[in-house]
């Protein structure tokens, strides 16, 4: 079965919600970043039903700082998705949050040449109507 990918007017693909991740997207809409936190093992990301360390299901959603550093990145200058051609080049990064987990995300608000491993970044929220995306942008050190 083929599932249509929804797009915002600016060409950005809109993520599909799974019920488990609803608090993540609801918080993003309010300009907050929340992650699941296990009482024994701390924060984890991506959203899942059990802690990836102890498999406990007694985690809670908690706010995090939205600050981190670039762990790794790449620059997409080709664009596999035709709808995103107008947005190239895209900087795709793994951002290591101050609280520990790494998020795969986009780096926005700067030229690709300004991005480097270890660069301090902070969350930036982009309202696409149906959902709000979380990107990261450089912040003063
Ligand atoms: Zn745990």
């Amino acid at each position: 079965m083929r599932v249509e990918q929804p797009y915002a007017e600016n060409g950005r693909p809109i993520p599909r919600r799974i019920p488990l991740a609803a608090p993540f997207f609801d918080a993003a809409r309010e300009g907050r970043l929340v992650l699941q936190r296990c009482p024994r093992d701390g924060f984890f990301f991506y959203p899942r039903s059990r802690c990836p360390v102890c498999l406990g299901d007694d985690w809670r959603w908690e706010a995090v700082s939205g600050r981190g550093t670039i762990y790794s990145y790449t620059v997409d200058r080709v664009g596999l998705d035709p709808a995103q051609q107008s947005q190239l080049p895209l900087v795709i990064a793994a951002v290591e949050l101050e609280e520990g987990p790494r998020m795969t995300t986009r780096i926005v608000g700067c030229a690709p040449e300004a991005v480097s491993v270890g660069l301090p970044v902070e969350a930036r929220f982009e309202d696409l109507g149906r959902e709000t995306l979380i990107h990261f942008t450089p912040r003063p050190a």
Side-chain angles (χ1 to χ4, degrees), residues 59-82:
W59 47 265
R60 293 173 176 237
W61 291 99
E62 289 187 22
V64 294
S65 66
R67 292 187 301 271
T69 56
I70 294 179
Y71 176 80
S72 184
Y73 72 98
T74 189
V75 180
D76 180 359
R77 298 179 191 278
V78 177
L80 293 177
D81 187 337

Side-chain angles (χ1 to χ4, degrees), residues 8 29 49 56 99 102 109 125 138:
R29 183 164 288 161
S49 61
E99 292 81 3
R102 293 180 191 145
F125 301 87

Side-chain angles (χ1 to χ4, degrees), residues 124-138:
R124 177 179 286 182
F125 301 87
E126 180 183 4
D127 181 4
L128 293 182
R130 191 190 310 184
E131 294 292 1
T132 297
L133 299 183
I134 300 175
H135 308 303
F136 284 78
T137 193

Side-chain angles (χ1 to χ4, degrees), residues 19 26 28 39 43 45 47 49 52 58 61 63 66 70 72-74 80 85 88 104-105 110 120 128:
D26 290 344
F43 288 100
F45 183 82
S49 61
D58 54 343
W61 291 99
I70 294 179
S72 184
Y73 72 98
T74 189
L80 293 177
Q85 289 292 319
L88 297 176
T104 301
T105 183
C110 68
L128 293 182

Side-chain angles (χ1 to χ4, degrees), residues 4-17:
E4 285 297 318
Q5 172 67 50
Y7 290 95
E9 287 183 9
N10 65 3
R12 302 274 177 102
I14 299 172
R16 290 189 175 279
R17 256 186 203 227

Side-chain angles (χ1 to χ4, degrees), residues 38-42 44 51-56 58:
C38 170
R40 292 164 298 283
D41 302 302
F44 58 93
C51 168
V53 177
C54 70
L55 302 181
D58 54 343

Side-chain angles (χ1 to χ4, degrees), residues 68-76 90-97 101-107 112 115-121 136:
T69 56
I70 294 179
Y71 176 80
S72 184
Y73 72 98
T74 189
V75 180
D76 180 359
L90 297 174
V91 179
I92 303 162
V95 166
E96 188 166 87
L97 299 171
R102 293 180 191 145
M103 296 182 70
T104 301
T105 183
R106 282 179 58 180
I107 305 300
V115 175
S116 61
V117 170
L119 183 72
V121 292
F136 284 78

